[in-house]
Amino acid sequence: MYKAIHRRQIGFTLLELLVVMVIIGLLAGYVGPRYFSQIGKSEVKAARAQIAALGKALDQYRLETGHYPTTEQGLMALNVAPSGETKWGGPYLEKAVPDDPWGKAYQYRSPGEYGDYDLWSYGKDGRPGGQDESVDIASWQ
């Protein structure tokens, strides 16, 4: 009698591995760009939140001193009393003035062109204008 020998297949064939690699590649190509675009959106939201928080600190400064810090004094006036400022009751921030989410300093001007003060970030590209992640984020928007 002929006895059939059954071999157990161990592992995957080359074709099966290639199919799995193609599927993983397609998923990465679809999900990757969507994931990274969300990171850019969260940085813009973080910049808006920081500008709002800095605006509240600037308002508190104005309530105590009667005016906003000058452009020359800058945002440092929120942590360190400017010379000759007798009514300064700060610090108005718990920590040092943060950089924007892209590692650049926030821009400040007082008196402002759009209000009592202007506070803005140029976005990811660090230049005026832009779209998406490179959009300017400002206190007057």
Side-chain angles (χ1 to χ4, degrees), residues 96-119:
V97 177
D99 286 338
D100 69 14
W102 302 278
K104 298 172 184 78
Y106 283 103
Q107 305 297 309
Y108 174 75
R109 174 176 50 217
S110 177
E113 188 177 322
Y114 300 97
D116 291 329
Y117 67 87
D118 295 344
L119 179 60

Side-chain angles (χ1 to χ4, degrees), residues 72-141:
E72 293 76 29
Q73 292 169 333
L75 297 174
M76 290 300 296
L78 297 174
N79 285 334
V80 178
S83 62
E85 188 62 65
T86 58
K87 296 181 184 178
W88 191 84
Y92 300 97
L93 296 173
E94 291 181 22
K95 298 179 181 177
V97 177
D99 286 338
D100 69 14
W102 302 278
K104 298 172 184 78
Y106 283 103
Q107 305 297 309
Y108 174 75
R109 174 176 50 217
S110 177
E113 188 177 322
Y114 300 97
D116 291 329
Y117 67 87
D118 295 344
L119 179 60
W120 72 97
S121 166
Y122 285 125
K124 184 176 183 178
D125 65 356
R127 295 182 303 203
Q131 297 176 5
D132 301 325
E133 297 173 36
S134 296
V135 69
D136 296 350
I137 301 114
S139 60
W140 61 87
Q141 295 174 331

